[in-house]
Amino acid sequence: MELLSKSFYTSHLNAIKHLVEEPAFAKPSPAEPVLEIVIANAELWKLPEETEASLGPRQLFVRLWMDGELVGETSIMISTSSGHEPYRPAWNERLLVMPRGSVVSRFELCIGREQTHVRGHCAFGSEGLWQSAVSTGRLDLEAPLLHEQSQVGILRLHVKMWDGLPVQTSQA
């Protein structure tokens, strides 16, 4: 073995690069699994401290975080409610994500545009979502939305492995 040869240094540097490379920053391979998450709709109940005067049209959207990093969000829906009826926004928007060793997938239902605040959230183990989608084909979830440890609504999600078809720009 010759220590001064170019092939020696090249092979060792490639081995070191492979060992220290952060998986999240590695280039995706064509065979890497992609998870398709459809954020279907939600029910958002009124909080006890809300008055009729504070109710009205709400700008609602959902954010997806994986291990503390923002992955994507839905478009903003204007939703109205009357009396004691809950807000019922419907998005039916699809997000494609690569789990890549992610531990936690957190969904936040947000209100507002300029002054956004989280009205409710739910979280899942990313590995559990991925394994369930692989084993069942499609997973339909009704996740409780929590705010200060109380349920304030429901978020409906559809999870499956991506079939490779192009993402449609408008959902029917």
Side-chain angles (χ1 to χ4, degrees), residues 81-112:
S81 176
S82 61
H84 296 290
E85 290 295 313
Y87 292 96
R88 288 190 171 93
W91 295 276
N92 289 317
E93 294 183 15
R94 178 166 76 163
L95 298 174
L96 300 177
V97 297
M98 298 171 125
R100 287 198 161 199
S102 169
V103 177
V104 177
S105 297
R106 177 183 167 108
F107 297 86
E108 297 177 339
L109 181 62
C110 301
I111 294 180

Side-chain angles (χ1 to χ4, degrees), residues 39-42 60-62 74-77 89-93 109 155:
I39 300 172
N41 58 49
L60 303 167
F61 64 97
V62 176
T74 64
S75 57
I76 293 176
M77 261 313 157
W91 295 276
N92 289 317
E93 294 183 15
L109 181 62
L155 181 64

Side-chain angles (χ1 to χ4, degrees), residues 45-134:
W45 308 325
K46 294 174 183 63
L47 297 176
E49 61 268 13
E50 286 183 318
T51 63
E52 287 295 323
S54 69
L55 299 176
R58 301 282 174 113
Q59 297 175 338
L60 303 167
F61 64 97
V62 176
R63 285 185 178 152
L64 170 59
W65 298 82
M66 294 181 92
D67 291 343
E69 290 189 38
L70 181 62
V71 174
E73 56 187 38
T74 64
S75 57
I76 293 176
M77 261 313 157
I78 306 290
S79 186
T80 58
S81 176
S82 61
H84 296 290
E85 290 295 313
Y87 292 96
R88 288 190 171 93
W91 295 276
N92 289 317
E93 294 183 15
R94 178 166 76 163
L95 298 174
L96 300 177
V97 297
M98 298 171 125
R100 287 198 161 199
S102 169
V103 177
V104 177
S105 297
R106 177 183 167 108
F107 297 86
E108 297 177 339
L109 181 62
C110 301
I111 294 180
R113 183 177 292 164
E114 290 83 27
Q115 297 180 357
T116 301
H117 69 275
V118 176
R119 179 59 181 275
H121 66 88
C122 60
F124 300 95
S126 300
E127 180 74 16
L129 280 178
W130 179 70
Q131 289 296 333
S132 297
V134 167

